[in-house]
Every structure is written in C-alpha cells, then in structure tokens.
Amino acid sequence: ARPVVAIVGRPNVGKSTIFNRLIGERVAIVEDKPGITRDRIYGITDWNGKSFSVIDTGGIEIDGDDTILKSIRAQAELAIEEADVIVFMCDAKSGLTNSDEEVAQLLFRSGKPIVLAINKVDNMKRTDDIYEFYSLGFGDPIGISGSHGTGLGDLLDAVTERL
Ligand code: GDP
Ligand code: MG
C-alpha cells in the first residue's frame, strides 16, 4: 500500500495552504468513516520517485469535538494512527506557542518519524525565527513558505528520506 504522510499542527499555521501546493488538483475521493469527514483533505503525490498519500489533518472534522484543543488532539491522534511520516507544522510569524508544545508531546510519544516544518518563512529576515523550534526536540526545523512555495523541496526530501 502507498505510504501516508500526515500534516499536523494547530489551526492557522498554513497546513491547508501547503497541502494545496503539494496536491493541487490531485485530491482523492475517499469514503468518510462514521463520525469523520475527510473529503478534500486527502491526496496523492510523488517526489524522488516515491508515491505517497498526504492528509491535511486540520480538515478532518470529528463529531463531538467541541473545543479547538480537543479537535487538534483528535486530529493528531488520527494522524499518529494512520501516518508513516508526520509533518509537524508550526508558524514562524507567530513563533512557538503552548498549543505547539501540546501537539509536540502527543507526537513525541507516538514514536513515528516526525519532520518539523516551520511555515511563513516568507523572507530572509524570518529565517532566524526558526531556531526557537529546535527546543521541540524534533531535530532541524525546515523553513517553508506557503505564500511563496519556498522550502518545499527540502521538506519533501526530508519526508521521502523517512518513508
Ligand atoms: P491551517 O488552518 O493550518 O490549514 O492554515 P491555512 O492554510 O488555512 O492558512 C492560515 C492563514 O495563513 C491563511 O490566511 C493563509 O493565507 C496564511 N498563510 C499560509 N501560508 C502562509 C505563508 O507562508 N506566509 C504567510 N505570511 N501566510 C501564510
Ligand atoms: Mg486548514
């Protein structure tokens, strides 16, 4: 079966923007599981000769998740269950937040390979803003920009190395 890469992170870091850049029109139609809506968030792409599915976990709506924190947690748990590699996305513009650290703890315990992507690195001035994310303990943060499409090659290299 095709390996699965899940994009995980709190709302507004740019998961859907990056997902759309990676998948474009190649969105797969998948059947919803009971209680979970997941159309338009699941697609197939390839890089370095490897084909894999990508899930935008932020688009998964899980019944009964009434708070943002509960829903991020449920999305992260689903990603942990299904993914072979997890792209953990944070935001250089807002910097490291408590919610990022909450998600990081869940991901850390999963033992799954994690690639740390820091989005919104839109200009040279912001390249220094990725360093604080080393403290999450997932190794080198990869700076990307959904607005400009920069850094995506490095991100995909890191992902496919772990597939
Ligand atoms: P999600 O909630 O994680 O799926 O985030 P979205 O993809 O919906 O993006 C949240 C907001 O951040 C939107 O207003 C995007 O236009 C904006 N955004 C996404 N990527 C970038 C980026 O690289 N730079 C900047 N400055 N804004 C971005
Ligand atoms: Mg989204």
Side-chain angles (χ1 to χ4, degrees):
R2 197 180 270 114
V4 174
V5 175
I7 307 175
V8 177
R10 65 181 171 77
N12 250 11
V13 295
K15 295 181 298 299
S16 300
T17 305
I18 298 299
F19 174 83
N20 289 332
R21 282 214 177 253
L22 296 178
I23 299 301
E25 300 296 305
R26 290 171 293 176
V27 170
I29 303 300
V30 288
E31 243 176 84
D32 291 341
K33 283 186 186 173
I36 302 174
T37 307
R38 58 165 104 199
D39 58 334
R40 273 187 283 281
I41 54 136
Y42 192 90
I44 294 166
T45 190
D46 52 82
W47 185 256
N48 289 341
K50 285 182 182 166
S51 177
F52 51 93
S53 308
V54 183
I55 312 177
D56 173 5
T57 63
I60 303 172
E61 287 164 26
I62 301 169
D63 293 350
D65 285 321
D66 40 2
T67 67
I68 286 181
L69 195 62
K70 261 165 90 181
S71 96
I72 304 174
R73 200 172 283 147
Q75 288 161 6
E77 274 159 6
L78 202 84
I80 288 166
E81 208 176 282
E82 295 199 2
D84 298 290
V85 173
I86 295 171
V87 173
F88 177 28
M89 196 171 292
C90 299
D91 175 341
K93 207 170 154 191
S94 62
L96 185 58
T97 71
N98 289 336
S99 307
D100 294 328
E101 280 169 353
E102 289 241 10
V103 178
Q105 279 187 23
L106 280 175
L107 297 181
F108 205 79
R109 275 187 249 124
S110 77
K112 289 274 166 99
I114 310 284
V115 174
L116 178 59
I118 313 303
N119 191 33
K120 308 193 187 179
V121 180
D122 298 334
N123 52 58
M124 289 301 288
K125 236 176 66 194
R126 228 176 253 164
T127 53
D128 287 346
D129 295 342
I130 70 172
Y131 294 111
E132 67 169 322
F133 294 93
Y134 269 100
S135 69
L136 290 171
F138 294 122
D140 293 341
I142 300 170
I144 62 173
S145 169
S147 300
H148 300 130
T150 47
L152 295 183
D154 290 343
L155 174 61
L156 288 166
D157 284 345
V159 166
T160 49
E161 267 169 31
R162 288 163 178 81
L163 282 177

